[in-house]
Amino acid sequence: MEIESIKKNRPKMKSKDKSVMATNKDEAQIQIRFVTKQQRYAVPDYPLAVHSSIVTDELNSLINELLRESNDVQDQVEFDFLVCSQFLRSSLTEHIADRGVSTEEVVDVEYVEKHPPPEPKDCLVHDDWVSAVAVCGKWILTGSYDNMLHIWTLKGKHQLVIPGHISPVRAVAWISLNDDNASFVSASMDQTCMIWSWDITRNSVECVHVCKGHRRSIEAVSVNYDKTLMATGAWDNMLYIWSTSAQEEDDTGESASKRARSEYASKTKTPKCAMKGHKQAISGIVWSDKTEIITGSWDHTIKTWDTELNGIKQEIHGDKCFFDIDYSPLSRVVIAGSADQHVRLYDPRSTEGAIVKARFTSHTQWVSTVRWSTVDEHLFISGAYDNIVKLWDTRSPKAPLFDLLGHDDKVLSCDWSNPKLIMSGGADNTLRIFKSNYVEH
């Protein structure tokens, strides 16, 4: 299988004197103090005088020299450096000048082990665009423009192909999984969601419910934390809430025998509630709490909904269409991909200053998909129509940590629910899998 490379984003820096501590007579000095939360790399925290235009390569040499002197770490370790809560991507003097920090004070320089580059692992070929992907346990669920669902193992074996929809699949989500059985949901441009039951031991699957209510293509689906409810958003601008139960709970007043006369009728599920508020398509949905849903839309807004009150709690206005959103339970903030090529970080609970906390600029086309890391509050991935998946750290908004290359066409979907695997589906009919060599900071 064809595996592509990863391009590391290295900021352009001027070459410096090899000696880290050396300074020209005319060059200003600055006092720094090294601090770290990684105790195995701790060095004495007394102030050190360095030249003010010092850059990360020189700081790396200095910190490794101090580690060797302490006899704790002999191997060369690559570090990233945080000053004023952001990664150093220029000279130290430029960095602190941008943040209004005085050069007269001792500057704390926090260092963390550098995140290793993800490695290309696999490429799963489909018959059409890979528009949806979700991972649970040892299984990968994909949805495609060939109207099919596909189940794969983490090792890339094609386990099952599932027909059922009559139009492209736009979103998928897992509901439950154990050793013997699983259930999941798929959303399609055919205006339906289907809830499926998979007998893993027999490798057989059946559709237990067809969720009907939307009047246009369904673009997004999200299952809540206790797996009892799911939310869908569509091109009809509506947000629907459904039960995920395999047993239909609606009291129709019909006898079981009458309902059983039509197999299709018995499978039809209607929404528990419908919420109206968006003026254009809902493109992204995520549950942020037991009774709270956040949606992103082509109408340039992100809305927070209260499912108990069936109404909007909050509204955030953007400049362009939102194509995808994700919420991190770790940091309690939202990221959103947009038509203006940026990813933005929003804090819906912010009561001070702007709700937009950061803007991440590197993509050159629409940002179609975003996902948080499930184990690190600072890390997330984004995929765009520029064919690239980018791995970001929220403390480095001006440059991603890495570009994950391989797609030959626009990226449509991504998943990082397994901390060790980054996945992305594209219009090149492939699902690309990268091994994430996560370092816990």
Side-chain angles (χ1 to χ4, degrees), residues 159-178:
Q159 190 78 9
L160 196 60
V161 57
I162 306 168
H165 286 291
I166 57 173
S167 293
V169 178
R170 293 289 293 144
V172 295
W174 292 89
I175 297 171
S176 66
L177 174 67
N178 58 41

Side-chain angles (χ1 to χ4, degrees), residues 170-171 187-193 211-222 231-242 274-285 293-299 305 322-323:
R170 293 289 293 144
S188 169
M189 292 172 70
D190 65 14
Q191 305 176 17
T192 70
C193 278
C211 303
K212 302 191 75 177
H214 284 294
R215 296 186 177 181
R216 294 186 70 184
S217 169
I218 303 175
E219 294 294 294
V221 63
S222 179
T232 57
W235 271 97
D236 60 8
N237 312 345
M238 296 296 294
L239 172 64
Y240 284 165
I241 311 296
W242 316 75
M275 289 187 272
K276 188 176 182 180
H278 281 296
K279 295 175 182 176
Q280 292 189 54
I282 296 174
S283 50
I285 292 181
I293 298 170
I294 301 175
T295 56
S297 169
W298 282 61
D299 66 9
W305 306 76
F322 291 110
F323 296 134

Side-chain angles (χ1 to χ4, degrees), residues 2-4 123 129 384-389 404-411 424-430 432:
E2 177 192 358
I3 299 293
E4 297 288 347
C123 174
W129 293 7
Y385 277 29
D386 57 13
N387 311 350
I388 300 173
V389 176
L404 282 60
L405 304 179
H407 284 291
D408 297 325
D409 206 336
K410 52 185 175 283
V411 179
S424 57
D428 57 0
N429 303 357
T430 69
R432 301 272 170 175

Side-chain angles (χ1 to χ4, degrees), residues 147-168:
N147 308 347
M148 303 292 182
L149 298 170
H150 302 265
I151 297 177
W152 313 74
T153 69
L154 291 183
K155 295 182 178 179
K157 179 189 174 187
H158 198 184
Q159 190 78 9
L160 196 60
V161 57
I162 306 168
H165 286 291
I166 57 173
S167 293

